[in-house]
Structure formats: structure tokens, C-alpha cells
Amino acid sequence: TWEEITALEAQIDADGNKALANWVSDQVQLPPTSHRAFFRRRLNPRSVESYQYGITTGPCDANARFRRFAFTYKDVELSRGHGGGIAGSTGHPYTPMKIETVGGNTVVKFGDDIRTVLDQPLQYVEDGANVTLTDGSYTLCMAEEVVGLEIGENMYNYQFQVLVGDLCTSSFTNRGGSDDGKGDGSPSSEVRKVNGSLVRSYDSSQCNAKCGDSSKVKRIITGNPEIKLPESYDMTTLSWLDMSDLSSELVNLNSDRTHDSVWLRTTALDVCDDENGDAIPDPAGLANIDYFSTGRGKYNLDRTVFAKLPGTNKWAIHDPRALFNGNTLDEPLMDGGGGYVKRASRDGDSIPATGLVVRCSSAERTVFNEEP
């Protein structure tokens, strides 16, 4: 844990290398445990779509996470054109941040999805003067996952960087195989097929070069935009939950490093309707197999769910995470994971026969799921 690391650091300051020797000796005396099992039980990566190994948590589930900053590492990777690896396939590559001034407020979107509504515009410094980021579309080049400029006990000024005067774009519909300077010109990617049909394919190398141009990359003064909603904002246009009276059920995570940025609600909500009375879609139904944008899935995500936290007009947004479940003799998953298979099925609530996304948890042992 972080507490153990800081305690060891203090011991090293006091006793030098002897502290390390004592620590190793103490560890040897402990009963052996499985690091893989410990890690797997606590694995909680961000994921906005269901894969074969698990579903995505919803804002009404127990242990749902909420964040108070607008943009994530995944958003940056997508905005820069990454189509796999770090970002996965969640959303359109080259999705821009959009700035719109509405009624004196600055509406900040990722694509067409509202992330925050600010009472002050975003600004950067140029030639010693503050410059306002005007309405338009911007590629995200960097974002630290924290509200404000403070990480731990240190202040920084690089947390949120955008491309100004240029934009990373893709011409994936141009299948001619010629390089148009927009990032997807290689013939091999232009003709990539899945099940005989052409699919989107991207090359982010040109965008990486643009984000490496210091003359065009601007550091936003306030850092990663804070999640805000003015009290006068028309809340009927948003999906939101009122958690302002759930202080005892909310936990501030990693507060030593990210302070007030990340929260977890320990309990599930009995009814998954937003404050406008509309049912919140189950994000487990967002499937990674949606290659062709024919329905909810990797290219058609649900809109952001906002959450009002305890405090004076304090807001966050749901931060979806992958949900994995153990299935052991001590804690058996009685349906073998069938409920999760059904939740993620492309066939909805019917008995899933086709459109399966998540695999059943009753699987044979492998190097990844067996206990030592």
C-alpha cells in the first residue's frame, strides 16, 4: 500500500540500507500469497464497453466510480487517433474537444458529448498574455487525470494541453490508398476487412508529430477542466444523479495524490433512473464487437451521466470501469456468470443465442485464472 511505501521511505532515511534488509527479512517470514490473485481481485481498469472477459460498470452499481475532471488518458489517445492498445476501440479515433459559448457559459464537449459547463473560458498563455480558447474543435495532446494543477504536494502547469491552429483528422472513408496527410494513408490500412467488410483503421503517427510541435501545443492555465454545471443550467437536457445526501456512502480515492478528483460510491442504487425520470441505459450493453457502428457500442457510446456530490454545487461524472468477478469454491458465482453474459448480449434480455459478448465465468483453468 501507499502507507507501507511511505513508511519504508522513512525507515530508509533513518537506517539506510539496513532498512531494506530488514524489510526483505520481514517479507520472507510472511505466509506466501498469490500476487496474481491479489492483483486480479483488485483490477478495475477504465472501460466504456464490454469485452469477453467482463462487463462495464454502470453509475447505479455498487462501487461505481465518479471523477471531477473532464478528460482521461483514453480521451487523449482517441483524440490523437489511436485505434488500439492504450485506448482500445472506445469511441471514434480523432474525436476532438469542442468549445461552444452558450448563454455566457463555456460548454466543453468530447465530440458531441457534454463533459462540463464552465462559467469562465479556457485560456492559455502566449507572449506573456492570457489568450481565450475560442469556439471550435481541438485535438487533445495531453491530460493528467486530476482537477487543478496540484499532484501530491507539487504544483505543475502542464496538466492539460491542446493543439491550437491545427487539428488531427481522419479520412477513413477515402479508400483509395493515397496519403492525404490526415493520418490514415497507408494502403494496407485502407483495405482492412473484418468478415469481408471494410472497417475503420487509423494511423496516429502524423497526429503525434503535430502534438510534438511546441509552437502549436498550448497549456491550459487551469489544467484539466473541472466538472461544473451552473445552477441556472437546464438540467432536463442532461442525464444526472443526485448523490448530495450520500456522504456516508462516498469514498474519496487516492486523495494523497489527486486530492478531490476521484470518488467511489460503495452502495448500489435501488432504481436506475436519472433525476429527470429517464432510465439510464445499462453500459454493459456497449459491446466491443460493434465493428460497423450499427448500434450501441464502441462507436456509439451513451451520453455522460453527471452526479451531484455533497457540497455547494459540486459535480462529477460517472467513470465507467471493467467489472470482473471471481468464481471460487469459497465464493461461487452461482449462475456461472450467466447474468453478466445476458446483460452484455446484443440480443437484450432474451435468452442469448447470438450476439454474445461476455464469456461465461465457468471456464477451465489457465495460467491466468488458476490459483497456485
Side-chain angles (χ1 to χ4, degrees):
T1 65
W2 184 255
E3 290 75 15
E4 291 173 324
I5 293 174
T6 55
L8 179 59
E9 184 179 31
Q11 292 171 1
I12 293 174
D13 290 340
D15 302 327
N17 289 337
K18 183 179 179 181
L20 290 174
N22 289 336
W23 183 84
V24 172
S25 177
D26 292 341
Q27 292 297 308
V28 171
Q29 306 305 316
L30 295 174
T33 59
S34 170
H35 179 271
R36 184 173 66 244
F38 182 92
F39 176 77
R40 186 175 63 248
R41 282 194 294 268
R42 291 158 179 81
L43 186 63
N44 194 214
R46 180 177 290 116
S47 176
V48 297
E49 61 187 5
S50 292
Y51 287 84
Q52 59 181 330
Y53 302 114
I55 66 172
T56 297
T57 58
C60 302
D61 293 335
N63 299 320
R65 288 203 192 190
F66 299 85
R67 68 175 192 263
R68 300 196 59 241
F69 50 86
F71 297 103
T72 67
Y73 299 141
K74 285 197 173 212
D75 293 333
V76 172
E77 291 296 326
L78 288 174
S79 194
R80 293 175 64 153
H82 204 291
I86 296 175
S89 299
T90 51
H92 281 300
Y94 300 104
T95 296
M97 175 185 73
K98 292 182 180 179
I99 301 294
E100 299 176 3
T101 302
V102 180
N105 295 313
T106 298
V107 179
V108 182
K109 300 180 177 181
F110 190 55
D112 294 321
D113 184 50
I114 295 177
R115 291 290 178 87
T116 184
V117 181
L118 307 173
D119 53 9
Q120 297 291 329
L122 297 178
Q123 294 184 319
Y124 59 91
V125 176
E126 189 167 67
D127 298 328
N130 291 356
V131 180
T132 295
L133 206 62
T134 58
D135 286 12
S137 296
Y138 299 88
T139 294
L140 304 177
C141 289
M142 181 177 182
E144 286 290 347
E145 296 186 344
V146 62
V147 174
L149 303 177
E150 187 176 10
I151 301 177
E153 298 177 354
N154 300 309
M155 297 292 292
Y156 302 93
N157 67 351
Y158 64 82
Q159 275 88 325
F160 191 59
Q161 301 177 27
V162 301
L163 193 62
V164 176
D166 206 341
L167 187 69
C168 295
T169 58
S170 170
S171 61
F172 57 83
T173 55
N174 174 12
R175 305 257 176 211
S178 60
D179 190 344
D180 57 9
K182 294 186 176 181
D184 68 341
S186 73
S188 60
S189 68
E190 294 285 329
V191 297
R192 183 183 175 198
K193 294 184 178 181
V194 172
N195 295 330
S197 299
L198 288 167
V199 297
R200 293 175 170 87
S201 187
Y202 306 89
D203 177 6
S204 61
S205 58
Q206 296 186 42
C207 188
N208 289 339
K210 292 179 180 180
C211 280
D213 185 346
S214 59
S215 68
K216 294 180 179 179
V217 177
K218 307 300 179 184
R219 299 179 178 185
I220 301 303
I221 295 173
T222 52
N224 200 335
E226 181 181 350
I227 305 301
K228 291 185 175 182
L229 290 173
E231 293 183 352
S232 60
Y233 197 78
D234 183 4
M235 300 300 293
T236 63
T237 63
L238 302 175
S239 183
W240 66 287
L241 297 170
D242 188 352
M243 303 194 308
S244 58
D245 60 349
L246 301 180
S247 297
S248 62
E249 301 170 25
L250 295 172
V251 179
N252 185 195
L253 301 180
N254 200 23
S255 58
D256 289 344
R257 295 286 296 167
T258 59
H259 306 290
D260 193 33
S261 298
V262 182
W263 291 81
L264 178 144
R265 192 190 61 244
T266 58
T267 57
L269 301 182
D270 294 332
V271 179
C272 199
D273 292 344
D274 66 18
E275 298 303 318
N276 296 315
D278 299 320
I280 297 176
D282 185 355
L286 291 166
N288 76 306
I289 62 173
D290 178 23
Y291 292 114
F292 311 110
S293 291
T294 56
R296 293 175 66 228
K298 64 171 65 180
Y299 298 125
N300 293 295
L301 305 178
D302 295 330
R303 62 178 177 168
T304 293
V305 176
F306 290 81
K308 190 173 185 179
L309 302 180
T312 304
N313 203 36
K314 182 177 178 180
W315 290 90
I317 58 178
H318 176 234
D319 196 10
R321 300 282 171 152
L323 176 63
F324 304 102
N325 286 275
N327 187 18
T328 66
L329 292 176
D330 293 332
E331 297 182 37
L333 196 61
M334 298 308 295
D335 66 351
Y340 298 110
V341 173
K342 192 173 182 180
R343 280 180 64 180
S345 170
R346 304 295 280 163
D347 294 334
D349 291 334
S350 61
I351 298 176
T354 60
L356 299 181
V357 179
V358 178
R359 290 182 177 179
C360 181
S361 298
S362 299
E364 63 180 323
R365 288 187 173 188
T366 70
V367 294
F368 299 107
N369 65 23
E370 66 181 354
E371 298 294 339

